[in-house]
Amino acid sequence: MANENVSVIFKVYCLTVMTLVAATYTVALRYTRTISTEELYFSTTAVCIAEVIKLVLSLGMLTKETGSLVKLKATIQEHIFCSPKELLKLSVPSVVYAVQNNMAFIALSNLDAAVYQVTYQLKIPCTALCTVFMLNRSLSRLQWFSVFMLCGGVSLVQWKPAEATKVEVEQNPIIGFIAIAVAVLCSGFAGVYFEKVLKSSETSLWVRNIQMYLSGIVITLIGVYMTDGERVMEKGFFFGYTPWVCFVVFLASVGGLYTSVVVKYTDNIMKGFSAAAAIVLSMVASVILFGLQITMTFALGAFLVIISIYLYGLPKQDTSRLTRKDTNLEDKQKLISV
């Protein structure tokens, strides 16, 4: 009983943290992008700093995993300095994730956090398609049904987007939706690609993360130079940074790492509940902070998305026993008829 209680408590803890991180990140990022534009920070630098923090945290976790500095040095020597092909392999998701993270800033600069949170769930059908084509997996009929339901829900949300009355910054919903679409495609492809790389060898998760974040730092620095190079040189790398911006960078850094770890101890149903709860929290926060006016189409679309997430996470039914029973019944019927 004790073990079961600890297990339940830990799963609830995982669900709570995953939900709070997802909801808080979108709302906080939205807040930092809709305040005075005169002191607006450079989003490319925030993405770069997040990659650096992820690298440091991964090094810390790898140190704990190896158990000593000597083993840590040997592991880094083997998998980092002596494995240029592996670094090149992990540079692919690095580029894609860098694009995805920058698109999140663009999207939340033009869309409300709740609208973003609902629309971003399109990553589920995108990931499903990538899983089918890249990992040769199959989806159940219920999962395909939930995918189409999710797309319908997102369409309702975007049909007449909810408006925020307290946001005075100029916004372009079309640009925001395009940014989410790009982020969704990047999320689906990069997630499945990284999973395929992880399962193709016995290399540690933290080693793979380090390989990816090293490439990510270089790629995001190039992005800073190409996008905001002159303004960064003029105003400084940390121009416009406030405690809220630092909080967003912290959530972006810890959130991804934490999610990748706790997923081992949860199932798809729990992740579905987490995503659904994050949508609800984002809606409540958007109403309070940004004066979001929820329309009937938005509410219905969000409800369909939440239901579809739950349905998609349901475990597949094992039909092997049913098939055996059916065959036994057929055999009996044949004997009776004879």
Side-chain angles (χ1 to χ4, degrees), residues 150-198:
L150 189 146
C151 293
V154 171
S155 299
L156 284 175
V157 170
Q158 291 296 329
W159 184 262
K160 190 178 180 181
E163 297 181 356
T165 58
K166 295 182 182 180
V167 176
E168 299 179 355
V169 179
E170 185 178 352
Q171 302 172 98
N172 190 329
I174 296 177
I175 293 178
F177 181 74
I178 293 174
I180 289 184
V182 175
V184 162
L185 292 172
C186 291
S187 175
F189 172 77
V192 176
Y193 182 95
F194 188 59
E195 180 183 350
K196 189 174 183 178
V197 171
L198 280 177

Side-chain angles (χ1 to χ4, degrees), residues 154-310:
V154 171
S155 299
L156 284 175
V157 170
Q158 291 296 329
W159 184 262
K160 190 178 180 181
E163 297 181 356
T165 58
K166 295 182 182 180
V167 176
E168 299 179 355
V169 179
E170 185 178 352
Q171 302 172 98
N172 190 329
I174 296 177
I175 293 178
F177 181 74
I178 293 174
I180 289 184
V182 175
V184 162
L185 292 172
C186 291
S187 175
F189 172 77
V192 176
Y193 182 95
F194 188 59
E195 180 183 350
K196 189 174 183 178
V197 171
L198 280 177
K199 294 184 177 181
S200 63
S201 67
E202 299 295 328
T203 307
S204 166
L205 168 65
W206 301 113
V207 170
R208 291 302 191 188
N209 280 339
I210 291 170
Q211 292 171 338
M212 185 166 62
Y213 296 143
L214 281 172
S215 303
I217 292 171
V218 175
I219 292 163
T220 52
L221 280 174
I222 294 173
V224 171
Y225 175 76
M226 294 179 63
T227 307
D228 302 307
E230 293 183 2
R231 290 184 294 170
V232 169
M233 292 296 292
E234 178 186 352
K235 297 182 179 181
F237 195 87
F238 296 98
F239 172 78
Y241 274 64
T242 63
W244 275 109
V245 177
C246 296
F247 183 56
V248 168
V249 173
F250 170 77
L251 289 176
S253 306
V254 178
L257 285 176
Y258 188 85
T259 302
S260 66
V261 174
V262 300
V263 159
K264 294 181 179 180
Y265 303 101
T266 61
D267 53 23
N268 284 326
I269 297 177
M270 183 166 285
K271 286 186 288 182
F273 276 120
S274 175
I279 291 173
V280 175
L281 288 176
S282 297
M283 290 172 62
V284 173
S286 295
V287 170
I288 297 173
L289 296 175
F290 310 117
L292 181 70
Q293 296 179 338
I294 298 178
T295 62
M296 183 61 70
T297 54
F298 179 88
L300 179 59
F303 177 75
L304 288 176
V305 169
I306 290 172
I307 295 298
S308 65
I309 292 172
Y310 171 74

Side-chain angles (χ1 to χ4, degrees), residues 7-23:
S7 177
V8 171
I9 292 172
F10 182 71
K11 287 185 177 181
V12 171
Y13 163 76
C14 292
L15 173 64
T16 304
V17 173
M18 288 174 66
T19 303
L20 290 177
V21 167

